[in-house]
Amino acid sequence: MRLDKKHIDNHNTDQSALHNKRLRFAKDEIADADQIIEKLKAFQVAIPSWALGTGGTRFGRFPGGGEPGTIEQKLEDVGLLHALNQSSGAVSLHIPWDIPQDHQALKNLAAELGLSFDAVNSNTFQDQKDQEYSYKFGSLQNVDKQVRDQAIAHNLEVIRHGEALGSKSITVWLSDGSCFPGQINFRRAYENTLESLREIYAGLPADWKLFLEYKAFEPNFYSTTVGDWGQSYSYVNKLGEKAYTLVDLGHHLPNANIEQIVSLLLMEGKLGGFHFNDSKYGDDDLTTGSIKPYQLFLIFNELVEGMDARGMNHANDLGWMIDASHNVKDPLEDLLQSVEALMIAYAQALSVDKQALKQAQMESDVVRAQEILQHAFRTDVRALVAEARLQTGGALQPLGLFRDLQVRKQLVAERGFQQSTGL
Amino acid sequence: MRLDKKHIDNHNTDQSALHNKRLRFAKDEIADADQIIEKLKAFQVAIPSWALGTGGTRFGRFPGGGEPGTIEQKLEDVGLLHALNQSSGAVSLHIPWDIPQDHQALKNLAAELGLSFDAVNSNTFQDQKDQEYSYKFGSLQNVDKQVRDQAIAHNLEVIRHGEALGSKSITVWLSDGSCFPGQINFRRAYENTLESLREIYAGLPADWKLFLEYKAFEPNFYSTTVGDWGQSYSYVNKLGEKAYTLVDLGHHLPNANIEQIVSLLLMEGKLGGFHFNDSKYGDDDLTTGSIKPYQLFLIFNELVEGMDARGMNHANDLGWMIDASHNVKDPLEDLLQSVEALMIAYAQALSVDKQALKQAQMESDVVRAQEILQHAFRTDVRALVAEARLQTGGALQPLGLFRDLQVRKQLVAERGFQQSTGL
Amino acid sequence: MRLDKKHIDNHNTDQSALHNKRLRFAKDEIADADQIIEKLKAFQVAIPSWALGTGGTRFGRFPGGGEPGTIEQKLEDVGLLHALNQSSGAVSLHIPWDIPQDHQALKNLAAELGLSFDAVNSNTFQDQKDQEYSYKFGSLQNVDKQVRDQAIAHNLEVIRHGEALGSKSITVWLSDGSCFPGQINFRRAYENTLESLREIYAGLPADWKLFLEYKAFEPNFYSTTVGDWGQSYSYVNKLGEKAYTLVDLGHHLPNANIEQIVSLLLMEGKLGGFHFNDSKYGDDDLTTGSIKPYQLFLIFNELVEGMDARGMNHANDLGWMIDASHNVKDPLEDLLQSVEALMIAYAQALSVDKQALKQAQMESDVVRAQEILQHAFRTDVRALVAEARLQTGGALQPLGLFRDLQVRKQLVAERGFQQSTGL
Amino acid sequence: MRLDKKHIDNHNTDQSALHNKRLRFAKDEIADADQIIEKLKAFQVAIPSWALGTGGTRFGRFPGGGEPGTIEQKLEDVGLLHALNQSSGAVSLHIPWDIPQDHQALKNLAAELGLSFDAVNSNTFQDQKDQEYSYKFGSLQNVDKQVRDQAIAHNLEVIRHGEALGSKSITVWLSDGSCFPGQINFRRAYENTLESLREIYAGLPADWKLFLEYKAFEPNFYSTTVGDWGQSYSYVNKLGEKAYTLVDLGHHLPNANIEQIVSLLLMEGKLGGFHFNDSKYGDDDLTTGSIKPYQLFLIFNELVEGMDARGMNHANDLGWMIDASHNVKDPLEDLLQSVEALMIAYAQALSVDKQALKQAQMESDVVRAQEILQHAFRTDVRALVAEARLQTGGALQPLGLFRDLQVRKQLVAERGFQQSTGL
């Protein structure tokens, strides 16, 4: 289904008096509000195709209805989100869960929906039917060269799909590692992985980036071969200038200071992008901003500061993506909440008084530095975010409208109770 | 398949010279070795039916072959283990993964294999086909009385199956909880759960126990309604004298001192039993003793001390069970390793010089207390464990014999590549 | 020094136009704003005497100047805070760091400053000069009855001091525990501690409460004898109706769900009070609300809901106290930031639409429940907090005025560079 | 005091029959036992001067008696340890806690005691009396160039002391970091630290190494500027070939896989050395091997494998040092226990069947790989460790002899109750 633009217009008209009042107040409170709105308008978060269905855990899965069953339906779902918030204008495909047959048709459909294709994702953490070699003991790290070659070939194939669709990057997340002491030789696993990555890197088009994602644990529970930012950094340094580290917020040991990692990777010129989500215990893949919103703000604070310091373009020079699982929520509603939380954190970070903060830091005035950050975080920036949507044709209250229009009910009517592929 | 006893005899004969040499040395080194051997002979660890197949994570699953497809085959697998180590003489069924049809026939088969039926396990963390209400938002905690009633009825049915098989306890593990702040009211969830548990408790036969297992997180990632030992303890205290807390080693927050929890629950008379496994990060369900063997020893040290202080029977007064997942290993081999690790830890704990330890404690001689425990742990007790097996008709080296006899190959030949039900 | 009221009046006059504008907007946005303001006016957070000086770690200490050297000066410091924010109207003394000589004179001074005496605190985690027995191996848990008796006598003496000052509660925090496996017998340590607590409890005046604080680790690094809420709960249940659990936000294992603990303790009628602070790694004792403000809000959300459910008086029925260490900040500035963060979290919690939340929960509408909580948290409530201060005679911007008046400079001039006693 | 060699001889004579019996058994059980003994004989662990006195926490300190008050007495204490175990033949000094006055006299004393000077340690985490600038807000990271210069000068002075004593390395541990979000700019802190380190590195003698130690948290509780191995690695890579990462076992986030870090740093040629201790929660600084002995073994397993792969000399090519705090034990007894635990772990690692392990890994035979490691760990190697001591003139049971000779009593008689300087 597609959203009739007049629904959005009616919704916005109904809300406009209240919105305008809030916007006026926010503009009085926040310096440079108009510039912030401009940046918000340009900011787009890619939606991964696997996040459009209900997720699950190893214990169970409770699917909802109306989930997309084809790539086309997945694009339509992202199109719905984008129509509502005008900030979800890209989709990130996952091979082999989404194997494009007619790339041009898909590109046409995406264009029609205002979408582009963000990073493509390979999968060597599951075995596919009719696959020759198993990834039970790893893929790019595997002691068996034939397994590694199969995984390399898969990544190269993913790149070819991406090229045909206009993607400019591939995200490589490896579950490679071990479950027990002694299972692998760490050095050999590293060296095999590096050698394999070099072959994939060699197949990268000239204007592409390779994002190497790290993760502390799960599904391997003793070691992971790209286990932390330091390991990812050491690989991408060796691979070359098109290789970057990708940060997934849920992929760290307890209590890690992620914002510091972000700052340092930016400093080193090796931050490639993000997988946004939130978590309390592990890779919980909860809705972005639902558990630790201040941490999310602090991360954006580093992003804004660090990108500005390098003269980077906020909208284009990093890959922004959501990677969450929706076990107890409607996936589309969850994604609307996630994007809203990201826009709020970004707006708050943009509103930080950077000169004052720098001065406080140079004077080691800790109390003042905290006040500056807390002021930005405590200020209600939602009117700016809504205004950015309004100016780009989105809805003032995307989630409210989604519910008012009973979108899910329509999708169920259209598609039935089919379940989507993915985690 | 069944194991021909003569294979075991031949194996033991081949190993006997070496074994006897080691046993003599161990007896010289360890006081009261013969008494320890007697206790080891009496010690039995229940094997859960779901641990007989290859496990997996939400990311993937790599099944092996020859897995049991029926309850009968599962009993046969446990029978194989028990034939080899004479310490796995009980099986713990899981409903609805194992719904007995002919209880008497199963009892006969078990008796033939030397097995008894340990705690039965209910499952309200997954929806079963044709189930009327969904557990998506919890079972015993659910805001909907109809859901709770369905879950209560399921538990009562599980008890009936258990009764028919000769079980004497039910283990209730609830995944109930929430994924997001606000999703549930903690107090209401507690009260609903308590009320539901009271109904199940009311249906408990007079000579049964109810074990209430706690877990910090997963599959719910914000809160769990029976989330730690304190919560389980507060429920079982209210339920009555037949209700006990069950400790699963992987169900704690990072760095928890599990041995202290064990000691205090024993003191309160509320420790019911164990789910053994090991972990590095979360509920990793790795082979018992594979990551933190000293912790396992310290837990057994508290068990022995605390049970002796209450005059409890080591073999019968607590429920001993393995609960692990075998993602990269042959399940039967993994279980043999697990039981071996348990027997070693138990033997080490039995060998602790309790009088000397008490004296060191009463003198606050920390160095001496550490020496006493480390001495017990550093001493090689494997010959005692092997001797206990020998005396009860098991194999000196169960895993070695399992491989020598190519048991898995035979199982694959017999059963093909079918996959078992479970996690 | 004391604050001249006219400074506050001038400050408020200067800020009044901007404040009134913000207040009007906030009242438009927040239902029942006036009732919230009334509750904020009644809310008082006790300041512990040891938080008035610069803290430190085992690695070092970098004291500032003008720290209070006597109880009288400590009262004066709290008086300064209270004059500024009208929410710090109580002080919590620590024996033996503050041994009152003339109780009546102290009471007069407190009354003059508008302060009352909150819980008194005992200290059996350090040895004092001329103390007969050492607490090196614990106090109430100690294997030596003489050590226990000394610690009991100390607690009883602390109660007598508190009585003379008008306190109504004692907080017992024990560092008792062990650093190494084997050092103590957990059960004996529990039993000794319980027996000792019973003696202290027996000496409690009829209208007093005993708060038993728990802590996961530090300064003992293997076990703590009152180590988690479950242990504290099991002690206070045995002690009697005047015994309660005290929650310190920094005393948990990583990732603990503190808000759930709060809710359950309230349900059980066993929550006594709070030590507020914030932390990222352990008992970091950072400024309240500086690291995880959303968690602080969620805790207050449970407090408001749970206290209302039991008909409790928010202002009086629990003990509210800060317990933080100020290693890199001016202690008074840090405390102003802490109280501000508490008032904000409390105001946000009060503003939650409880009916709507309950309805969402009863419908398992997870998305809506999250929206309700996030809306309350994202709304800027600072104008309500400031208005509460204004109406009770405090300053609109306490920290701003503290700096404008150069209070610290005056304290240094008055007192010099002396260092306060405490952690 | 010095130990009379005849005490050791008598002790060894008394124990020899039992020892020989155990040794014979161990040699039968362990392949290449004699080669292992040779390696154990060569292995020396440096004792840090600050570990010779009773440590403490921010909460308190319970000093014992007879602690060394001068560098000479500290050398004597290490001399006692070395006489007993012949494996503690080096001392690591800490400036300014130990400022040598007469370097030649110290060298003579050390030579007399059979000791050499291992890495020297600088201290910029505390302010010393009469120090011009404070390190309250960091040292090498400080925003104030004057503070940085002072810290650089201190490090260069430490190097000069080390040169005069024959040390060949300096360990730089920085507590630099921040306690609150916003306090520092991470990038600026990194850049200042790097620039400062370059100046220290420039002052390094040609045959020296610089060890850069990382730590996740404490005493700064929001961020640490050399916070994990990845950060240390990125600094030492930029500094040059004489700069290496130093791993302290207690300086990681919860659940970190330290053995993997060790393997990768060895692979990169950037592992410099170790600070050994053990911990359950944070930087607990407990006795090495007292909490997680299997982890210690796994670390040594990687060390042996990785050093052999690079042709490194086990005894000389890495810096081995203990860094622990003895809050409830006699420091010398604690150090004897620590060295014993290290020797055991090293012996176990040496006894691993490396060919079989490699084969199991190449076949992804996880069960077999685990069996191989567990077999090495479960085998009692203490007789080999004792034999290595015997052959080098040490005592079969160092701790037993220490107690039999009442060494502490003699030290107290000699020195009284003075307290040592340090943590």
Side-chain angles (χ1 to χ4, degrees), chain C residues 293-312:
Chain C
Y294 194 52
Q295 184 194 57
L296 186 65
F297 159 72
L298 293 173
I299 289 168
F300 268 94
N301 185 50
E302 294 305 325
L303 284 167
V304 167
E305 198 274 345
M307 294 182 85
D308 287 351
R310 296 178 70 88
M312 292 167 76

Side-chain angles (χ1 to χ4, degrees), chain A residues 206-266:
Chain A
D207 58 346
W208 272 51
K209 294 176 180 174
L210 182 151
F211 299 147
L212 184 61
E213 191 170 354
Y214 61 89
K215 183 171 184 178
F217 60 95
E218 195 210 21
N220 270 299
F221 293 117
Y222 172 62
S223 74
T224 303
T225 297
V226 188
D228 63 13
W229 79 269
Q231 289 172 58
S232 174
Y233 168 77
S234 87
Y235 285 106
V236 299
N237 258 349
K238 287 167 187 147
L239 288 175
E241 59 181 14
K242 294 185 291 185
Y244 295 86
T245 294
L246 185 136
V247 177
D248 181 300
L249 298 191
H251 287 193
H252 301 81
L253 291 176
N255 306 335
N257 187 322
I258 303 174
E259 49 270 32
Q260 185 184 16
I261 293 172
V262 166
S263 171
L264 297 183
L265 282 170
L266 268 174

Side-chain angles (χ1 to χ4, degrees), chain B residues 96-144:
Chain B
W97 296 337
D98 316 296
I99 301 186
Q101 302 302 330
D102 182 341
H103 297 85
Q104 191 52 50
L106 277 184
K107 285 178 78 169
N108 294 346
L109 176 59
E112 205 181 304
L113 296 163
L115 306 178
S116 64
F117 289 95
D118 207 277
V120 283
N121 302 270
S122 59
N123 174 343
T124 60
F125 54 88
Q126 292 178 323
D127 287 349
Q128 306 302 323
K129 204 176 285 188
D130 305 325
Q131 178 180 310
E132 191 162 3
Y133 303 103
S134 171
Y135 297 132
K136 184 169 192 166
F137 301 108
S139 58
L140 300 189
Q141 75 167 14
N142 205 292
V143 290
D144 184 342

Side-chain angles (χ1 to χ4, degrees), chain B residues 21-22 28-29 255 280-281 290 294 329 333 337 365 367 370-371 375 379 382 399 403, chain D residues 21-22 28-29 255-256 280-281 290 294 329 333 337 365 367 370-371 375 379-380 382 403:
Chain B
K21 182 188 169 201
R22 287 172 174 165
D28 285 354
E29 294 284 310
N255 305 336
K280 189 169 175 63
Y281 303 101
S290 66
Y294 194 53
K329 289 180 180 172
E333 293 190 352
Q337 290 186 308
D365 186 344
V367 167
Q370 179 177 319
E371 288 289 307
H375 173 69
T379 299
R382 287 176 291 175
L399 179 60
R403 290 203 157 192
Chain D
K21 181 187 169 202
R22 288 172 173 164
D28 283 356
E29 294 285 311
N255 307 334
K280 188 167 176 65
Y281 303 102
S290 64
Y294 194 53
K329 288 181 182 172
E333 293 189 354
Q337 289 185 307
D365 185 345
V367 166
Q370 179 177 317
E371 288 288 308
H375 172 69
T379 300
D380 194 341
R382 287 176 293 175
R403 289 203 157 192

Side-chain angles (χ1 to χ4, degrees), chain B residues 41-83:
Chain B
K41 285 158 71 178
F43 195 79
Q44 298 296 322
V45 184
I47 306 297
S49 65
W50 62 91
L52 300 163
T54 308
T57 70
R58 65 176 169 130
F59 292 97
R61 186 176 288 262
F62 303 92
E67 301 189 357
T70 63
I71 312 186
E72 289 74 17
Q73 290 183 338
K74 290 176 185 178
L75 286 179
E76 278 185 6
D77 272 14
V78 180
L80 284 170
L81 296 175
H82 191 50

Side-chain angles (χ1 to χ4, degrees), chain B residues 5-20 390 394-397 401:
Chain B
K5 184 71 172 63
K6 77 167 194 300
H7 290 311
I8 292 177
D9 295 339
N10 293 342
H11 164 89
N12 288 344
T13 305
D14 291 349
Q15 307 261 336
S16 80
L18 183 56
H19 167 66
N20 286 328
L390 187 67
L396 283 168
Q397 304 290 345
L401 182 55

